[in-house]
Amino acid sequence: MKEVLASLLILSTVLARVGGAQDTLQTGFEVIAQIPEARSLAIDPEGLIYVVSASELLQLDHLGEIKARVDGTNAGVFGELSDVDPGNGLIWVLADAEKGNLFRFSKELLHLETIRVPRNTDRELGHSPRLDLQGGFSTALGQPIAVATGVAGELFAIDASSQRVLKWDASRRLERVIGEFGSGAGQLVEPISLTTDASSLYVADRALGLVRVYDYFGGHIRNLKAESDLNSITVTQEGLWIIFPQSIWIYSHQGILSRQMVIPLDDPLIAAAPLLDSILLLTPIQLLRLEI
């Protein structure tokens, strides 16, 4: 009885935090993979699942069977991995926060290119990253903790060392910096996750407890309310998903909060995404599936 009352108390606290809106409480979570030190989750257009741990990337099918592993043997030694974006499924990008690199891979998991993320962008803006390989630049590297690709091949990454978003064009030239430090309109304090749709860039800021919405040129459009314990964001057909340790908020494409789901897991939820008739849920140690 005490355990039931404790569970109801926890649930009522979560419901109160999300404003008492209509919530969906589901049970029957299926563990489909054990992944220690998990970091991020993404799904490509063909339904393949990508999960980043601290040291490797796993590619799984919709049943959770591992199809491939990428551990850095064909791209140089990895440091601590942080994020992946499979883009259109033909070319995907992996972020290495420790060594300051973005790795581009083909659909067949062949390493195509390494992009170095600069901490000081003054000299690199407008130039090809290949100049760095030729000794053209010698700057300290940043800390890319999140990565996303645009519809025309643009590349966005959060540099945690400068708390800004960097944008490369389709030729991988560093084009611009988005979100200077601060709490003013369009500014960022602690960006932790980002994603894109056909026309907008979304950046989740944990310190500000919101999601900034920009156009592809860095122009600030609006803010979406969140909370300071948000962990990640992703764009789906429904709109924007904001993932918290025990809940998911869904904003429509028009920026309206349309749904809030409570996800009662023992471990904190760090990422989530819909797949077929289910939701994939990632904690620091497991990948789970929830049928809907």
Side-chain angles (χ1 to χ4, degrees):
M1 184 64 179
K2 290 183 179 179
E3 292 179 355
V4 173
L5 291 174
S7 298
L8 290 175
L9 179 60
I10 293 173
L11 177 58
S12 64
T13 301
V14 174
L15 291 175
R17 191 197 70 175
V18 298
Q22 183 67 40
D23 294 89
T24 302
L25 176 62
Q26 299 282 1
T27 58
F29 303 102
E30 176 191 0
V31 177
I32 61 175
Q34 300 285 348
I35 306 175
E37 298 185 286
R39 296 288 190 268
S40 73
L41 166 71
I43 301 173
D44 74 11
E46 295 183 358
L48 291 175
I49 304 165
Y50 296 78
V51 179
V52 170
S53 71
S55 59
E56 66 178 353
L57 177 135
L58 300 178
Q59 184 189 69
L60 308 95
D61 63 19
H62 69 283
L63 298 175
E65 295 294 327
I66 296 176
K67 295 178 62 66
R69 294 176 183 264
V70 178
D71 60 6
T73 55
N74 62 345
V77 179
F78 289 155
E80 183 174 343
L81 300 179
S82 54
D83 197 17
V84 64
D85 190 324
N88 60 9
L90 300 178
I91 295 178
W92 52 273
V93 184
L94 182 64
D96 185 331
E98 181 180 348
K99 294 201 170 183
N101 293 322
L102 302 177
F103 300 100
R104 298 178 73 243
F105 287 85
S106 70
K107 179 180 180 180
E108 296 76 24
L109 306 185
L110 297 176
H111 176 235
L112 302 176
E113 183 179 22
T114 299
I115 300 173
R116 296 166 69 81
V117 178
R119 183 172 302 179
N120 185 338
T121 60
D122 292 343
R123 296 180 60 190
E124 285 79 358
L125 283 169
H127 294 280
S128 168
R130 295 175 182 83
L131 290 176
D132 186 77
L133 301 179
Q134 299 166 6
F137 301 133
S138 57
T139 60
L141 296 181
Q143 186 183 3
I145 58 171
V147 63
T149 53
V151 291
E154 305 94 337
L155 185 61
F156 301 90
I158 292 175
D159 173 22
S161 67
S162 62
Q163 306 292 3
R164 301 182 297 178
V165 175
L166 305 182
K167 177 190 176 183
W168 291 261
D169 63 18
S171 299
R172 273 82 65 203
R173 288 189 297 267
L174 187 61
E175 181 182 290
R176 69 181 69 243
V177 174
I178 299 173
E180 294 294 339
F181 182 83
S183 58
Q187 293 182 315
L188 300 168
V189 176
E190 188 187 1
I192 60 163
S193 181
L194 79 170
T195 187
T196 61
D197 61 19
S199 60
S200 300
L201 167 69
Y202 302 84
V203 182
D205 193 304
R206 180 175 286 157
L208 296 176
L210 52 77
V211 177
R212 300 277 200 205
V213 185
Y214 304 88
D215 61 30
Y216 271 26
F217 300 99
H220 180 231
I221 301 174
R222 62 175 176 267
N223 299 324
L224 303 177
K225 183 183 181 302
E227 299 287 347
S228 60
D229 60 344
L230 65 88
N231 279 327
S232 63
I233 56 176
T234 188
V235 166
T236 73
Q237 289 186 345
E238 287 183 275
L240 180 75
W241 285 27
I242 305 178
I243 291 87
F244 299 92
Q246 284 198 314
S247 64
I248 300 173
W249 294 10
I250 302 176
Y251 277 91
S252 70
H253 293 287
Q254 292 73 38
I256 299 171
L257 183 58
S258 59
R259 189 179 182 191
Q260 297 170 324
M261 297 183 291
V262 174
I263 311 293
L265 295 175
D266 293 332
D267 298 304
L269 183 63
I270 59 175
L275 178 63
L276 301 176
D277 295 326
S278 64
I279 300 176
L280 295 181
L281 306 166
L282 185 68
T283 76
I285 59 173
Q286 292 178 327
L287 178 65
L288 304 97
R289 176 166 45 221
L290 173 62
E291 297 294 336
I292 56 176

